[in-house]
């Protein structure tokens, strides 16, 4: 199949890139007002973090409106409307002048759009596709940055002629796809999708749909200009024609990337500030997933990677350092702790499992009893001052009380403080190290068993991964445990320190 697709690409003789500008005065007015608010906050209220949060809420609402295909009324859900209303009300109470000069207008425009039962972008795309209905069997793909909802897809499908072969792909999937389509429809302008979209012409017709308050054009440039002295030149734009566009005067300078970056920073800040000061945090990197979601992955973590096109090893375990963009990672939707413990007991500890788990529960029960009597800080202080434990922060003590903790770094000092004798200290600490190693081995066993389960589903999964960028499945092998396969969109190499409770959890920026 792949070889045939490659040949199809070489059969494309010419490509035409066109641009559709969509007008909507209410959205344009809203964008301009948010733009003014942005400048006002940056210039006049430079250090007010609360106003930046308010700005991000209205920017999020705006970008949902200009990229969605549902009616504006449906896009502004009750939850989103409530979030906007709460934010704007707080501005009214704290900054009445700013509220009356700008924020009130933003609120009125969002309110008006929340009562609008149409969508200019949706109408324009449907009308364009309907113009092609006479070409029976035409292969059309709609490419979006984030996956469209099933409701949005059905809305388009039922409005067009069934003789067309319509597919929906996320941009990440489209970039990797070898399939050649007759018509490629981008929801957004070239700048929104980035440089790859400006150089990817694997279709006879490519059309970018964007609201007219954003620049919608491609300016061809020779990416090899600097080395053409040796007679090397680029043929990238040969046989590609670009539709002429109207002169554009930028009135709105909002970009989606800004609000998403701020949302990530706020999420990290809330994560760190929400934990006890001095907690033993974990060094992680922020991994962006499809559909405005992120996950914190420890720098030293082992990650399960799903490869739908590999027959022998559908799921492999990699060091996080070896994970790349566009890899699919497998994540347990609930905590992995319980599943790993069950597999460790059944497959590795076996006849020793009950005895070893009893020892684990025994010292935890004694620690919890002390915490109940003296409090987290009281226990923390005693461990630090009397027993010289360097890691005995209040949050660390709380973590040791949880089932997620197996073998604290200074477990021998902790056991001594819990009044175990020397022989018991050695026996329990040795056991905890055995359990810890068993959990590591259990992680590998889980990956191997998932490999066999997913190999049977790989064809079904592949299609959904292309459309959505993720796939949810329940494992028969592990009593219905739920897993997600998630596409890695990008990896931020900045080291972020976050509480252990927030690692390997998918979090939404919305």
């Amino acid at each position: 199949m792949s070889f045939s697709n490659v040949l199809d690409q070489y059969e494309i003789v010419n490509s035409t890139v066109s641009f559709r500008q969509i007008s909507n005065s209410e959205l344009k007015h809203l964008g301009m007002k948010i733009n003014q608010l942005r400048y006002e906050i940056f210039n006049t209220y430079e250090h007010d973090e609360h106003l930046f949060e308010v700005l991000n809420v209205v920017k999020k609402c705006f970008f949902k409106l200009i990229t969605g295909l549902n009616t504006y009324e449906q896009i502004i859900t009750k939850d989103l409307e409530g979030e906007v209303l709460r934010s704007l009300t707080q501005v009214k109470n704290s900054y009445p002048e700013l509220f009356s000069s700008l924020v009130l207008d933003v609120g009125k425009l969002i309110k008006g759009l929340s009562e609008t039962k149409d969508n200019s972008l949706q109408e324009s795309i449907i009308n364009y596709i309907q113009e092609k209905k006479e070409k029976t069997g035409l292969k059309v793909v709609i490419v979006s940055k984030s996956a469209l909802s099933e409701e949005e897809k059905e809305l388009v499908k039922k409005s067009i002629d069934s003789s067309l072969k319509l597919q929906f792909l996320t941009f990440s999937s489209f970039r990797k796809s070898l399939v050649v389509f007759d018509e490629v429809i981008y929801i957004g302008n070239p700048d929104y999708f980035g440089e790859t979209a400006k150089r990817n012409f694997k279709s006879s017709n490519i059309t970018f749909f964007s609201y007219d308050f954003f620049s919608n054009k491609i300016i061809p440039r020779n990416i090899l200009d600097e080395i053409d002295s040796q007679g090397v030149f680029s043929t990238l734009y040969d046989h590609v024609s670009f539709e002429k566009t109207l002169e554009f005067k930028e009135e709105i300078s909002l970009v989606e990337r800004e609000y998403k970056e701020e949302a990530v920073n706020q999420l990290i800040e809330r994560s760190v500030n929400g934990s006890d000061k001095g907690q033993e945090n974990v060094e992680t990197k922020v991994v962006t997933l499809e559909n405005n979601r992120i996950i914190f992955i420890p720098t030293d973590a082992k990650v399960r990677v799903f490869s739908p096109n590999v027959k022998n090893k559908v799921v492999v375990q990699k060091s996080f350092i070896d994970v790349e963009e566009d890899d699919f990672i497998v994540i347990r939707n609930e905590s992995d702790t319980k599943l790993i413990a069950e597999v460790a007991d059944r497959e590795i500890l076996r006849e020793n499992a009950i005895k070893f788990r009893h020892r684990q529960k025994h010292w935890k029960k004694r620690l919890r009893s002390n915490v109940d009597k003296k409090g987290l800080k009281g226990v923390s202080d005693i461990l630090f001052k009397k027993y010289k434990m360097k890691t005995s922060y209040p949050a660390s003590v709380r973590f040791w009380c949880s089932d997620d903790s197996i073998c604290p770094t200074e477990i021998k000092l902790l056991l001594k403080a819990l009044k175990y004798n020397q022989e018991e200290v050695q026996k329990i600490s040795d056991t905890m190290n055995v359990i810890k190693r068993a959990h590591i081995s259990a992680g590998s066993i889980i990956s191997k068993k998932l490999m066999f389960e997913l190999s049977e589903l790989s064809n079904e999964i592949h299609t959904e991964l292309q459309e959505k960028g993720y796939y949810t499945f329940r494992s028969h092998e592990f009593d219905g445990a739920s897993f997600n396969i998630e596409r890695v969109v990008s990896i931020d190499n900045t080291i972020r320190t976050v509480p252990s409770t927030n690692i390997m959890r998918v979090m939404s920026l919305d």
Side-chain angles (χ1 to χ4, degrees):
M1 174 184 141
S2 295
F3 184 67
S4 174
N5 292 148
V6 171
L7 293 179
D8 288 344
Q9 295 196 37
Y10 279 97
E11 287 184 2
I12 299 174
V13 179
N14 294 294
S15 292
T16 301
V17 182
S18 56
F19 310 92
R20 293 292 182 272
Q21 301 283 67
I22 301 158
S23 297
N24 186 296
S25 58
E26 288 80 11
L27 275 175
K28 181 177 182 178
H29 195 192
L30 175 60
M32 292 175 69
K33 285 293 180 181
I34 295 174
N35 212 43
Q36 291 174 29
L37 178 61
R38 175 177 174 271
Y39 283 124
E40 188 69 18
I41 290 173
F42 272 84
N43 294 328
T44 310
Y45 303 90
E46 186 178 353
H47 302 293
D48 195 304
E49 293 180 3
H50 170 64
L51 284 179
F52 282 116
E53 291 180 13
V54 172
L55 178 63
N56 278 332
V57 170
V58 294
K59 281 199 291 187
K60 176 176 71 175
C61 182
F62 176 69
F63 281 106
K64 281 181 176 291
L65 285 165
I66 64 173
T67 57
L69 293 185
N70 276 325
T71 64
Y72 301 132
E73 177 189 51
Q74 293 169 315
I75 291 171
I76 303 178
T77 62
K78 291 296 180 185
D79 288 343
L80 180 57
E81 187 177 10
E83 185 181 4
V84 171
L85 182 62
R86 286 190 296 273
S87 295
L88 301 190
T89 301
Q90 290 170 3
V91 178
K92 179 182 179 181
N93 296 334
S94 302
Y95 303 96
E97 290 185 6
L98 180 63
F99 179 82
S100 58
S101 64
L102 274 177
V103 175
L104 180 59
D105 288 339
V106 170
K108 287 180 177 178
L109 287 163
I110 291 176
K111 180 63 176 174
L113 286 161
S114 73
E115 298 169 349
T116 304
K117 299 182 183 295
D118 58 22
N119 183 311
S120 307
L121 175 64
Q122 170 215 114
E123 292 170 6
S124 182
I125 289 175
I126 289 173
N127 289 339
Y128 177 82
I129 298 175
Q130 283 288 49
E131 293 172 5
K132 315 290 181 180
K133 64 182 180 182
E134 294 180 1
K135 299 179 181 179
T136 304
L138 196 73
K139 291 190 294 184
V140 181
V141 62
I142 295 179
V143 181
S144 54
K145 198 80 170 285
S146 296
L148 296 176
S149 67
E150 292 303 317
E151 186 180 18
E152 288 173 304
K153 293 175 188 175
E154 284 304 314
L155 191 151
V156 176
K157 287 177 182 177
K158 73 180 183 181
S159 302
I160 65 172
D161 195 283
S162 59
S163 67
L164 300 175
K165 295 180 180 178
L166 181 63
Q167 191 172 349
F168 301 88
L169 293 178
T170 65
F171 181 55
S172 296
S173 292
F174 179 68
R175 282 193 298 116
K176 296 186 74 175
S177 173
L178 293 175
V179 177
V180 173
F181 297 91
D182 300 306
E183 292 277 348
V184 176
I185 294 171
Y186 283 99
I187 300 179
N189 64 5
D191 288 339
Y192 179 59
F193 288 98
E195 290 302 315
T196 304
K198 299 176 186 180
R199 301 193 298 266
N200 189 334
F201 306 116
K202 53 186 179 185
S203 171
S204 300
N205 294 288
I206 302 106
T207 308
F208 292 87
F209 283 77
S210 176
Y211 286 94
D212 60 6
F213 38 82
F214 290 113
S215 175
N216 193 12
K217 62 183 178 180
I218 293 177
I219 301 175
R221 60 189 182 90
N222 187 347
I223 60 172
L224 300 174
D225 277 343
E226 294 181 3
I227 58 173
D228 64 5
S229 60
Q230 301 299 318
V232 178
F233 60 94
S234 172
T235 61
L236 181 64
Y237 299 109
D238 285 4
H239 311 296
V240 179
S241 61
F242 296 91
E243 181 185 76
K244 289 185 178 180
T245 56
L246 298 173
E247 287 297 320
F248 175 77
K249 179 183 178 183
E250 185 177 57
E251 296 178 90
I252 298 174
S253 59
L254 299 174
V255 290
E256 188 181 44
R257 183 185 68 256
E258 277 186 4
Y259 102 76
K260 288 186 176 179
E261 287 174 352
E262 283 301 317
V264 170
N265 291 334
Q266 288 173 16
L267 192 59
I268 293 169
E269 189 175 336
R270 285 197 298 270
S271 171
V272 173
N273 291 342
S275 65
D276 293 325
K277 190 174 181 181
Q279 181 174 357
E280 281 188 321
N281 293 323
V282 181
E283 288 191 343
T284 68
K285 292 182 181 180
V286 179
V287 175
T288 303
L289 308 173
E290 293 275 20
N291 307 316
N292 298 333
R293 295 168 307 140
I294 65 166
I295 185 170
F296 298 121
I297 299 183
T299 53
D300 60 352
K302 295 286 187 180
V303 181
R304 301 177 197 119
V305 176
F306 172 68
S307 303
N309 297 318
V310 178
K311 292 183 179 179
N312 296 329
K313 289 190 176 181
V314 179
V315 177
V316 296
Q317 191 157 294
K318 287 185 180 182
S319 295
F320 177 42
I321 194 173
D322 295 323
V323 174
E324 300 175 341
E325 291 182 6
D326 283 329
D327 275 349
F328 291 105
I329 58 176
V330 184
I331 303 165
R332 175 97 193 271
N333 286 327
E334 301 82 25
S335 170
D336 252 357
T337 305
K338 185 178 178 183
L339 176 62
I340 289 175
E342 290 173 357
V343 174
D345 289 357
R346 184 175 69 241
E347 304 287 342
I348 300 160
L349 299 178
R350 298 180 183 177
E351 65 275 3
N352 289 320
I354 294 175
K355 178 174 62 177
F356 284 5
R357 293 298 180 184
H358 175 74
R359 290 175 188 168
Q360 183 182 13
K361 290 175 182 177
H362 196 276
W363 73 262
K364 283 182 181 288
K365 183 178 179 181
R366 194 172 286 191
L367 176 61
R368 288 167 186 155
S369 176
N370 275 272
V371 169
D372 289 341
K373 294 174 184 176
K374 302 165 187 171
L376 286 170
K377 190 174 186 309
V379 172
S380 170
D381 288 344
I382 291 170
L383 293 174
F384 180 75
K385 294 174 182 176
K386 187 174 180 180
Y387 295 93
K388 311 302 179 186
M389 287 186 65
K390 298 176 182 179
T391 58
S392 60
Y393 303 109
S396 300
V397 175
R398 183 176 61 190
F399 179 60
W400 297 336
C401 290
S402 74
D403 293 333
D404 290 336
S405 172
I406 301 171
C407 187
T409 306
E410 299 176 291
I411 189 168
K412 289 187 177 180
L413 288 175
L414 176 61
L415 294 172
K416 182 180 177 182
L418 293 174
K419 308 303 181 186
Y420 288 103
N421 62 40
Q422 189 59 39
E423 183 181 349
E424 291 171 326
V425 167
Q426 191 63 47
K427 184 184 292 184
I428 294 173
S429 64
D430 287 347
T431 301
M432 294 309 103
N433 276 295
V434 171
I435 293 176
K436 183 178 179 181
R437 290 193 296 272
H439 277 223
I440 293 170
S441 299
S444 298
I445 291 171
I446 291 168
S447 295
K448 289 176 183 176
K449 291 191 175 183
L450 286 175
M451 178 181 75
F452 292 112
E453 281 199 277
L454 290 171
S455 62
E456 297 177 2
L457 298 171
S458 58
N459 290 333
E460 172 192 339
I461 291 171
H462 188 66
T463 300
E464 194 158 337
L465 283 176
Q466 283 188 310
E467 291 192 4
K468 292 182 176 180
Y470 70 94
Y471 181 89
T472 302
F473 76 99
R474 292 195 173 276
S475 168
H476 299 297
E477 186 73 40
F478 300 113
D479 299 323
S482 174
F483 293 84
N484 256 24
I485 301 173
E486 300 277 356
R487 186 201 308 280
V488 173
V489 175
S490 64
I491 301 172
D492 184 346
N493 287 314
T494 305
I495 302 297
R496 314 274 190 170
T497 305
V498 300
S500 56
T501 51
N502 286 328
I503 64 172
M504 300 305 290
R505 285 178 50 214
V506 177
M507 302 180 188
S508 176
L509 297 181
D510 292 336

